[in-house]
Amino acid sequence: WFKAALIKSHDAYVNRAMAYLGLGRDEDAIRDCDEALRLAPDTAAAHYNRGLARHNRADHPGAISDFDAAIRLDPGYGKAHYNRGLTRLVLKHYAAARDDFAAARRLTPDHAMAHVMEAFVLACCPDAALRDEPRAVELAARACELTGGKEFYPLAALAAAHAECGRFDEAVRLALRAEAVAADGQKADVRKDLALYRAGKPARDDR
């Protein structure tokens, strides 16, 4: 019964950490994950949640370390691959981020944003050796299929992929669709992209 009580206890800390993350209370989430890991060191979800909190606090090495641990404990943890990819992208570790997004996509085939972010790397990476424009179009188009063609990020990714292929008229058309569904905080970025496409320029991550 004591072991069962410990399991319930560490689950409670993991669950409360998730709630704290939703409230933006990252320090509290980290403390709860620390306690969950003290009680049960092999808890992949505790490492994952702490990784999210550390990413939010711009502790990118710490976040990657936690996502590494979560994946080591649960190799099929698609969300951990995806979020490690996001952290690596912030650090401009493009090849590693691409690999994480590809892993997340393979593990969770309906994960639209894994398709989007892999497409983004393949279309917009400043390192030409990592770009694969036709594949970026395929992945972004699949993300649009998964979301019914009505969400901002898949449309923006598909526009960027077409621009990288030199199809600027199609990029403008798609970017206008993205603008129509964009949230207020997204409109400035898509308008910058539109200006580039209308000028016959792709949208690169190093602009």
Side-chain angles (χ1 to χ4, degrees):
W1 68 266
F2 180 69
K3 184 177 180 180
L6 281 178
I7 291 172
K8 290 180 181 179
S9 180
H10 95 262
D11 282 344
Y13 281 110
V14 170
N15 291 333
R16 191 170 67 174
M18 291 173 62
Y20 281 143
L21 283 167
L23 295 171
R25 293 170 58 177
D26 297 314
E27 289 187 17
D28 291 326
I30 289 170
R31 279 195 290 271
D32 271 357
C33 289
D34 287 343
E35 185 60 19
L37 289 167
R38 185 185 69 80
L39 294 169
D42 292 339
T43 306
H47 282 290
Y48 172 74
N49 288 332
R50 191 170 68 180
L52 294 177
R54 286 175 164 174
H55 175 93
N56 293 342
R57 292 176 56 78
D59 176 8
H60 299 124
I64 288 174
S65 177
D66 269 321
F67 294 138
D68 285 346
I71 292 165
R72 184 173 64 252
L73 291 164
D74 181 0
Y77 209 149
K79 291 190 294 184
H81 280 284
Y82 175 74
N83 283 282
R84 186 173 67 178
L86 293 179
T87 304
R88 286 172 161 171
L89 196 59
V90 171
L91 298 173
K92 300 189 182 297
H93 298 167
Y94 294 104
R98 174 203 60 195
D99 293 345
D100 265 336
F101 296 137
R105 176 177 52 78
R106 288 192 298 270
L107 290 164
T108 50
D110 293 339
H111 193 319
M113 284 305 297
H115 289 72
V116 165
M117 296 311 297
E118 188 181 356
F120 171 79
V121 175
L122 296 179
C124 301
C125 179
D127 182 352
L130 294 178
R131 292 200 296 272
D132 183 342
E133 298 87 349
R135 183 62 175 150
V137 171
E138 291 176 9
L139 289 167
R142 177 58 180 152
C144 287
E145 290 176 5
L146 289 167
T147 56
K150 298 177 181 179
E151 293 190 12
F152 172 77
Y153 287 111
L155 289 166
L158 188 56
H162 277 290
E164 191 59 42
C165 291
R167 296 191 285 267
F168 294 106
D169 288 345
E170 182 66 1
V172 168
R173 185 185 72 81
L174 289 161
L176 287 170
R177 286 178 59 190
E179 183 183 26
V181 297
D184 289 342
Q186 298 164 333
K187 290 186 183 296
D189 286 338
V190 74
R191 286 168 183 163
K192 289 178 184 176
D193 291 343
L194 271 167
L196 288 170
Y197 304 154
R198 285 169 171 154
K201 298 178 181 178
R204 298 270 172 77
D205 196 39
D206 60 346
R207 57 189 150 160

